[in-house]
Amino acid sequence: MADKKLTPVEKLNQEEAAAELERLAAEIAEHDARYHREDAPVISDAEYDALKQRNFAIEQRFPDLKRADSPSEKVGAAVSEKFEKIRHRVPMLSLDNAFSDEDVRDFAARVRRFLKLGEDAPLRLTAEPKIDGLSLSLRYEDGELVYAATRGDGTTGENVTANARTISDIPNRLKGDPPAVMEVRGEVYMTKADFAELNARQEAAGKPTYVNPRNTAAGSLRQLDASITAGRALKFFAYAWGEVSEMPADTQMGMVEAFREFGFETNPLMAVFESVEKLIQHYHRIEMERADLAYDIDGVVYKVDDLTLQERLGFVSRSPRWAIAHKFPAEKAMTTLNAIDIQVGRTGAITPVARLEPVTVGGVVVENATLHNAEEIERLGVMIGDTVIVQRAGDVIPQILGYVPEKRPKDAEPFEFPTVCPCSLKTPIVREAIASGEESVVRRCSGEFACPFQRKEHLKHFVSRRAFDIEGLGEKQIEYFFDDEGGLEIRTPAQIFTLAKRDETALTKLKNRDGYGEVSAQKLFDAIEERRTIPLERLIYGLGIRHVGESTAKTLARAYLDWPSFEEAALKIADGDEAAREEMDALDDVGDAVIDSIARYFSEPHNRDMVEKLIGELTVEEAERPATDTALSGKTIVFTGALERMSRDEAKALAERFGAKAAGSVSKKTDLVVAGPGAGSKLAKAQEFGVEVIDEDEWFRRVEGL
Ligand code: IVH
């Protein structure tokens, strides 16, 4: 093609132009297919570009001849500003991890216990590789792909449909007889070979190379310009689902077989086993094959095969009870410990951090590792300048396992743990007493909100993804605005929301700052405005109260429903009100540590003031009321005695699913007690308070009727 003499575009007549556009469309489509699907281009990128340029030049001269399947329309599609958000109709969850064979046996035992299955009762489990890529949810309606969304925070992802369409493993139309609504989920990944080839191309072009296939796949999928994604060889394995109007199968394996019939690639190493030991054997087999596989994997995922059992098992927090990821052992490497820095966390906890000579461990460059505390440094015996062994497992923070004594340089220096906070206040670092009367290994800066490090960390938490999640206001920007002295400072949560209205010139000021322009400044202001209305659970989580994580915040929000009620309870508890305390104590997963921490937070005038100012800026959305349309909605139920047909955990989970609350002890507020054989004091108490008592069979009759 390159050496064929071509008529200059200016000299083409209509007929010749039409013929050439037709030829070019076919030829470019073929190269696209070779490149994207078979990963075997037969021409260089420059030659490919020349074809596209000629096609474009002809189209410019003969706009009327532009074809419906014009190659210039396919690639280089309009670049969107940012991705649209998509709310997953069924959340995309993560998996719990197992690190040893023993953990896997425990998992199976837990499943059996929950389901009340005897040790010998059959329990089929699937095993399949855990692909090291990123998950994607594909929604098909009447067999047509309507959108592709990334996982995002599990609840809301990004619309990457245009990009997903460039992946040849992802059908635009499902084959066979799919249900009307079919959300197929799986992993987008890049093969090791394609990754190496991409890097070779980058290197040849004098461009920077990529770190590992996973990050490259993620980066490639999240390109605003779909033509860039199209240029990357991405692949897809289907292994899970979201909303489905009519289930095509009743087992995990059956679903995966259905995916294959719909036209998806599924992992050939997936298999079903009848015993845990067989499962573990399969794990070790996959582990042996790992290096020879075409793609990176980081473990093996086990799932209960029977979907009815999956349904019964349900979820704990963000992961299913019916699945677990058995991770491969961490990878290790040796490098030099250059320095130890001190980091101050949101709660003032002081953590020594190892600064390392950059080293690649398991495909990722590691430069920092946590040293946890002074005792850990002492235990390891490391000195600055030592050659240390670092380990990295999955997304876990890299760790230092020890040092190599033979390699200790003469000038190696021991590390002196500081006694004052490295912040400008130089506040003393203190150790808390723990229950046993001993001192905790955790050292804290006692400066609380006065310590600039802690304030900054609080703000970072406040804007983080699971809290206020303000687009364009992340850790980096907090650093930037925190230190501002030109009228744009953000040193408290409320100041985020007063940024724009502090003075009329705020927008102009920001526009003229480095890194900001007209559009980005306005966008930040808009993003902040958007979050002025915030769900209660995000607000509670965002406050950064110790021990109040995302799931506790959710529990609190669901229990108190609106901000005034929560605040009233918190203030009462801070004032020592016993009734308020008991009420909170009755909530699942809320114990003394959480309550003490809430009390402490709200007894601090500084915090109250901070919260008051913040609330003045916000509209807090009430929490979703639990399902109110069932006979169990809002009821408090206590299970006691032996249950025959399901475990107590399952019974509780079931009650919660119908909008009821399962409590641990009987009080006047209890609505219903389900008592099995052997029920003792709780039953007596129920009778004393006149609470309705039923047996397990009656409980089932009621639940089945719902
Ligand atoms: S199942 C409800 N199967 O691992 C559980 N996940 O740690 C849905 N992953 O977000 C996930 N390979 O991105 C499942 N064969 C596999 C997987 C897999 C990789 C990823 C996925 C998920 C993460 C959870």
Side-chain angles (χ1 to χ4, degrees):
M1 149 91 221
D3 48 23
K4 204 160 56 184
K5 268 267 168 287
L6 291 167
T7 316
V9 174
E10 315 79 77
K11 300 224 166 114
L12 291 174
N13 63 31
Q14 283 264 345
E15 227 174 70
E16 289 166 333
E20 225 192 304
L21 285 179
E22 186 182 357
R23 179 181 63 80
L24 283 167
E27 199 168 319
I28 292 170
E30 192 187 317
H31 290 306
D32 281 341
R34 280 180 183 279
Y35 189 83
H36 301 312
R37 284 182 211 132
E38 293 144 39
D39 307 311
V42 290
I43 57 170
S44 71
D45 287 3
E47 284 167 321
Y48 177 82
D49 286 343
L51 289 179
K52 296 216 42 179
Q53 262 157 23
R54 183 166 173 90
N55 179 74
F56 185 72
I58 300 173
E59 285 174 351
Q60 291 293 300
R61 216 185 133 215
F62 301 97
D64 291 341
L65 296 183
K66 189 164 165 181
R67 303 169 56 87
D69 63 349
S70 161
S72 36
E73 289 302 305
K74 278 196 199 139
V75 188
V79 175
S80 62
E81 279 258 87
K82 63 168 191 189
F83 295 109
E84 183 201 335
K85 296 258 150 80
I86 288 187
R87 220 184 146 76
H88 299 299
R89 292 176 212 221
V90 176
M92 289 182 82
L93 302 152
S94 55
L95 294 169
D96 207 6
N97 291 326
F99 295 99
S100 65
D101 294 356
E102 211 38 51
D103 286 352
V104 177
R105 293 187 188 105
D106 286 349
F107 160 71
R110 252 191 333 267
V111 167
R112 283 181 185 281
R113 225 176 300 129
F114 191 93
L115 297 171
K116 277 220 143 191
L117 289 178
E119 252 175 63
D120 306 322
L123 175 65
R124 291 160 63 88
L125 292 159
T126 61
E128 69 201 275
K130 183 165 190 295
I131 316 297
D132 206 5
L134 67 149
S135 46
L136 189 67
S137 185
L138 305 166
R139 185 175 175 89
Y140 291 86
E141 286 174 11
D142 298 322
E144 299 284 345
L145 177 65
V146 284
Y147 65 69
T150 59
R151 177 164 185 268
D153 62 1
T155 311
T156 313
E158 284 176 326
N159 184 339
V160 291
T161 314
N163 301 1
R165 286 191 200 278
T166 70
I167 300 176
S168 57
D169 284 350
I170 296 179
N172 273 321
R173 198 188 154 73
L174 299 181
K175 290 198 279 192
D177 184 24
V181 174
M182 179 73 233
E183 287 183 8
V184 176
R185 292 176 175 177
E187 203 82 352
V188 174
Y189 66 98
M190 186 178 271
T191 64
K192 297 178 197 171
D194 286 329
F195 172 72
E197 199 190 302
L198 173 64
N199 263 353
R201 260 189 284 149
Q202 289 287 113
E203 217 157 67
K207 293 190 194 154
T209 53
Y210 298 95
V211 179
N212 61 28
R214 200 207 87 82
N215 292 2
T216 315
S220 302
L221 188 67
R222 294 191 68 258
Q223 288 291 334
L224 289 173
D225 177 353
S227 73
I228 299 182
T229 312
R232 306 272 171 84
L234 296 178
K235 296 189 165 290
F236 182 82
F237 275 130
Y239 56 65
W241 58 93
E243 193 185 2
V244 183
S245 54
E246 221 175 309
M247 293 292 277
D250 55 9
T251 60
Q252 184 73 35
M253 201 64 184
M255 287 300 284
V256 169
E257 273 153 20
F259 293 160
R260 214 173 300 143
E261 276 157 30
F262 297 156
F264 285 98
E265 293 296 322
T266 58
N267 196 289
L269 294 172
M270 179 172 179
V272 193
F273 298 95
E274 306 268 345
S275 86
V276 188
E277 297 314 315
K278 294 251 165 64
L279 205 66
I280 294 174
Q281 269 171 25
H282 192 59
Y283 166 87
H284 290 292
R285 223 169 12 241
I286 293 178
E287 189 181 19
M288 304 262 284
E289 276 183 47
R290 183 183 184 189
D292 299 326
L293 292 178
Y295 42 85
D296 280 339
I297 63 174
D298 58 347
V300 176
V301 183
Y302 307 131
K303 299 171 186 168
V304 170
D305 193 37
D306 183 332
L307 301 188
T308 318
L309 298 184
Q310 282 193 6
E311 171 83 6
R312 278 177 61 192
L313 285 154
F315 304 88
V316 211
S317 190
R318 310 186 63 80
S319 6
R321 274 198 197 84
W322 44 263
I324 200 160
H326 191 177
K327 300 303 265 303
F328 291 131
E331 298 195 45
K332 300 182 183 97
M334 263 196 292
T335 189
T336 315
L337 174 62
N338 288 332
I340 297 178
D341 285 347
I342 292 296
Q343 246 172 25
V344 186
R346 171 160 60 90
T347 55
I350 304 279
T351 313
V353 178
R355 305 294 181 201
L356 305 166
E357 193 57 37
V359 62
T360 308
V361 194
V364 169
V365 179
V366 171
E367 294 173 89
N368 307 307
T370 177
L371 282 163
H372 302 289
N373 49 51
E375 285 69 19
E376 174 76 355
I377 297 177
E378 199 174 313
R379 187 184 70 79
L380 292 168
V382 290
M383 290 208 241
I384 294 156
D386 268 340
T387 295
V388 293
I389 300 153
V390 265
Q391 163 177 299
R392 188 191 140 261
D395 303 330
V396 192
I397 307 165
Q399 290 208 316
I400 294 196
L401 299 178
Y403 71 100
V404 186
E406 309 83 66
K407 293 203 172 187
R408 171 163 286 174
K410 290 213 173 59
D411 58 353
E413 278 174 54
F415 176 70
E416 298 264 348
F417 209 89
T419 52
V420 296
C421 178
C423 73
S424 52
L425 299 171
K426 307 242 174 303
T427 335
I429 289 175
V430 295
R431 294 174 68 167
E432 306 170 8
I434 43 179
S436 62
E438 287 165 37
E439 285 187 308
S440 153
V441 291
V442 180
R443 288 155 180 82
R444 282 180 207 282
C445 161
S446 48
E448 303 248 335
F449 258 98
C451 166
F453 284 126
Q454 289 184 53
R455 270 188 185 224
K456 221 188 259 185
E457 293 309 311
H458 259 287
L459 280 168
K460 287 180 188 170
H461 170 79
F462 185 82
V463 299
S464 65
R465 211 156 74 158
R466 303 199 191 285
F468 273 66
D469 188 23
I470 299 173
E471 183 127 11
L473 193 62
E475 301 206 350
K476 241 182 25 213
Q477 291 81 6
I478 289 293
E479 293 277 349
Y480 178 82
F481 289 111
F482 193 86
D483 298 324
D484 191 84
E485 286 177 351
L488 294 178
E489 72 277 4
I490 296 181
R491 317 197 84 210
T492 67
Q495 282 177 341
I496 294 172
F497 297 97
T498 58
L499 185 66
K501 59 184 179 194
R502 230 171 281 168
D503 71 54
E504 305 106 68
T505 61
L507 186 61
T508 321
K509 273 187 194 155
L510 185 58
K511 274 190 323 217
N512 295 322
R513 292 294 178 82
D514 258 5
Y516 282 97
E518 177 96 39
V519 178
S520 53
Q522 188 58 52
K523 253 166 103 176
L524 175 60
F525 282 12
D526 291 347
I528 292 174
E529 271 330 292
E530 207 174 300
R531 288 306 193 182
R532 210 178 267 285
T533 303
I534 194 84
L536 179 61
E537 60 191 61
R538 282 186 180 257
L539 167 64
I540 295 178
Y541 174 67
L543 293 179
I545 304 167
R546 252 177 100 190
H547 303 304
V548 179
E550 202 191 359
S551 108
T552 307
K554 207 173 245 177
T555 306
L556 291 168
R558 289 214 179 123
Y560 293 97
L561 297 171
D562 54 31
W563 171 259
S565 313
F566 171 72
E567 190 187 30
E568 190 191 336
L571 292 173
K572 276 186 179 167
I573 293 171
D575 286 343
D577 183 319
E578 275 307 314
R581 195 182 170 99
E582 255 171 50
E583 198 179 337
M584 194 175 284
D585 200 28
L587 302 177
D588 260 2
D589 302 328
V590 175
D592 283 340
V594 170
I595 300 176
D596 288 346
S597 173
I598 292 175
R600 224 171 81 86
Y601 192 97
F602 282 89
S603 49
E604 196 68 57
H606 195 109
N607 289 346
R608 283 197 200 190
D609 185 53
M610 185 272 285
V611 170
E612 226 40 61
K613 290 207 170 96
L614 172 65
I615 297 298
E617 296 295 328
L618 301 176
T619 306
V620 185
E621 285 175 341
E622 288 188 15
E624 229 173 85
R625 282 162 203 272
T628 51
D629 46 354
T630 80
L632 290 175
S633 307
K635 297 261 161 51
T636 302
I637 304 179
V638 173
F639 293 92
T640 181
L643 298 179
E644 314 265 306
R645 289 166 56 183
M646 55 168 74
S647 68
R648 198 173 294 178
D649 279 343
E650 184 176 1
K652 274 187 176 181
L654 195 61
E656 277 161 13
R657 227 175 278 173
F658 288 111
K661 201 170 69 183
S665 59
V666 178
S667 75
K668 282 181 193 134
K669 288 191 191 150
T670 309
D671 295 297
L672 186 64
V673 169
V674 181
S681 64
K682 288 182 192 170
L683 179 58
K685 230 177 183 175
Q687 280 152 352
E688 180 191 329
F689 293 142
V691 176
E692 184 184 8
V693 179
I694 58 173
D695 66 9
E696 193 182 0
D697 288 340
E698 173 61 20
W699 161 248
F700 269 103
R701 267 193 294 280
R702 291 194 188 182
V703 173
E704 270 154 21
L706 292 175

